[in-house]
Amino acid sequence: MSIGVWDYLPEYRTERADVLDAVAQVFESGRLVLGESVRSFEEEFADYHGLGHCVGVDNGTNALVLGLRALGVGPGDEVITVSNTAAPTVVAIDQVGAVPVFADVRAGDYLMDTSRVADAITPRTKALLPVHLYGQCVDMAPLERLATEHGLVILEDCAQAHGARRPGRIAGSMGHAAAFSFYPTKVLGAYGDGGAVVTPSAETGRNLRRLRYYGMEERYYVVQTPGHNSRLDEVQAEILRRKLRRLDTYIAGRRAVARRYREGLAGIADETGLVLPETATGNEHVYYLYVVRHPQRDKIIERLRRYGIALNVSYPWPVHTMTGFAHLGYPRGSLPVTEALAGEIFSLPMYPALPPDRQDAVIDALHEVLRTL
């Protein structure tokens, strides 16, 4: 048996008729770019988040780039974020000419340690960019207070947190804008690339629409600042529209997988020091990833490979340690929790359609490997 970290084929086999009907609907519509499917998806995705505006774009990285630009972040500004994230979070900051500033994360849930953000604020700070990581939300209340006190904007990185909530609030609704990725592996994934930015602000929404279409408000005429060609594809938008209706079902499936892992691994975890995911107080976790931790991570991954089980590490290299960001000047040891996690965390296979027998195989193999370390 070969078990991958992620597999879209079981879902596709179940939803194939709807996916192909979505494609046919777009092809027969007579409009292949910025048509009815994009408009409808934008309305429905904004409504899902209780917000007035959504702008679909071509991928999650550009959602961050355009979100920053639409909020007025530019050259020389500082943006406070985390290093325990996918590189695109920081690449986006760099692309608008701003300077990434890192706060460490918490050892328990791996989310931004908001108690450290105030010390990172300088007169050049323009924005806070919290990353809702692995399927749950950063505690936004302290960041909202800091933003109000210092006149900062907040852009939420929600690439891994579709549908995640804190009490009464959904990820993406707690800042001035929020960026989403619809990369196929995501909780709400397309059949290719895609992204979106949501915002409660009509002005920010207008800025985003210009920026994703070269900076144009009318065809062929660039207004104010030149933008990008960053449009969400009609086919992907129609597929996402239909999958959005099933998003809560996908989340329930992920939680069921997480529950089975916890029940099957709790005993061996206590015996061997395997750290299972912790849900932060007040959070409703959607389990984009099921991230565990062990000091002998690399040995565990190698031994599980012999069972045909593939695991993933998100992320083995903190962004501040990458040579591409060496110019930021963060030496080893500057973010101790982030750096410690990078050597110990790994992700078990996780997707809603993961068959129970394959999940049990992962659990059984982990039992055997952990007992023989």
Side-chain angles (χ1 to χ4, degrees):
M1 181 182 294
S2 177
I3 304 174
V5 174
W6 173 78
D7 186 358
Y8 75 91
L9 289 173
E11 177 188 285
Y12 174 67
R13 293 183 185 113
T14 300
E15 301 179 1
R16 181 176 183 274
D18 196 36
V19 171
L20 297 183
D21 184 66
V23 175
Q25 178 180 310
V26 172
F27 286 178
E28 293 170 4
S29 71
R31 182 71 180 267
L32 297 177
V33 178
L34 293 184
E36 181 63 22
S37 291
V38 169
R39 185 192 65 77
S40 296
F41 173 71
E42 289 174 340
E43 291 179 356
E44 291 160 14
F45 198 65
D47 185 63
Y48 182 85
H49 292 89
L51 298 172
H53 309 276
C54 170
V55 178
V57 298
D58 52 347
N59 57 63
T61 305
N62 279 337
L64 288 164
V65 171
L66 299 190
L68 288 166
R69 292 189 65 189
L71 293 172
V73 179
D77 292 331
E78 292 180 350
V79 179
I80 299 174
T81 189
V82 294
S83 183
N84 182 40
T85 184
T89 304
V90 185
V91 168
I93 297 170
D94 183 75
Q95 284 187 8
V96 303
V99 179
V101 175
F102 298 117
D104 211 347
V105 297
R106 304 193 302 194
D109 55 28
Y110 319 145
L111 299 169
M112 175 185 274
D113 186 344
T114 56
S115 70
R116 298 183 178 274
V117 172
D119 290 339
I121 295 174
T122 75
R124 293 173 58 192
T125 305
K126 176 70 174 183
L128 308 177
L129 206 169
V131 180
H132 301 313
L133 198 67
Y134 303 148
Q136 61 175 330
C137 298
V138 173
D139 181 7
M140 293 295 292
L143 300 184
E144 292 172 284
R145 289 193 293 270
L146 288 171
T148 299
E149 180 181 347
H150 295 276
L152 309 176
V153 294
I154 298 176
L155 176 65
E156 299 172 68
D157 184 338
C158 298
Q160 300 186 9
H162 307 74
R165 296 176 185 268
R166 291 186 66 80
R169 309 177 78 186
I170 188 169
S173 69
M174 296 179 272
H176 296 90
F180 289 84
S181 169
F182 303 124
Y183 188 75
T185 62
K186 304 302 185 186
V187 180
L188 178 62
Y191 278 73
D193 273 317
V197 186
V198 298
T199 178
S201 166
E203 179 183 2
T204 302
R206 284 193 298 272
N207 289 342
L208 287 163
R209 291 187 189 283
R210 282 198 305 268
L211 290 168
R212 71 125 177 238
Y213 191 55
Y214 309 107
M216 297 179 185
E217 287 185 348
E218 297 182 33
R219 195 175 184 190
Y220 302 131
Y221 193 92
V222 174
V223 180
Q224 298 175 359
T225 306
H228 302 262
N229 176 7
S230 299
R231 301 170 298 220
L232 178 62
D233 181 78
E234 271 290 287
V235 171
Q236 300 300 342
E238 185 57 37
I239 292 172
L240 287 165
R241 277 191 74 200
R242 297 173 185 224
K243 292 189 71 176
L244 179 59
R245 300 164 193 161
R246 298 188 284 269
L247 177 54
D248 291 344
T249 301
Y250 299 149
I251 292 170
R254 288 175 177 274
R255 287 174 175 157
V257 172
R259 186 164 52 249
R260 194 182 191 96
Y261 275 142
R262 178 163 290 278
E263 290 170 355
L265 294 171
I268 194 70
D270 290 341
E271 295 172 18
T272 62
L274 180 72
V275 180
L276 302 181
E278 173 185 307
T279 300
T281 302
N283 267 347
E284 297 177 27
H285 208 313
V286 297
Y287 293 100
Y288 168 60
L289 298 175
Y290 193 87
V291 179
V292 299
R293 181 179 181 185
H294 195 280
Q296 297 190 64
R297 185 266 312 281
D298 294 344
K299 185 179 291 186
I300 293 170
I301 290 175
E302 176 58 33
R303 291 189 180 181
L304 284 176
R305 196 174 289 128
R306 301 172 193 169
Y307 290 82
I309 297 170
L311 304 179
N312 189 48
V313 180
S314 299
Y315 299 93
W317 301 285
V319 177
H320 73 283
T321 68
M322 298 179 183
T323 56
F325 292 102
H327 63 282
L328 297 176
Y330 285 83
R332 291 274 182 175
S334 57
L335 300 171
V337 178
T338 296
E339 293 171 28
L341 292 177
E344 298 186 356
I345 56 176
F346 59 104
S347 304
L348 306 186
M350 167 58 76
Y351 50 96
L354 181 64
D357 63 326
R358 296 198 166 202
Q359 195 174 352
D360 289 342
V362 172
I363 293 169
D364 292 344
L366 261 174
H367 274 257
E368 292 186 32
V369 167
L370 288 167
R371 286 201 173 98
T372 58
L373 283 176

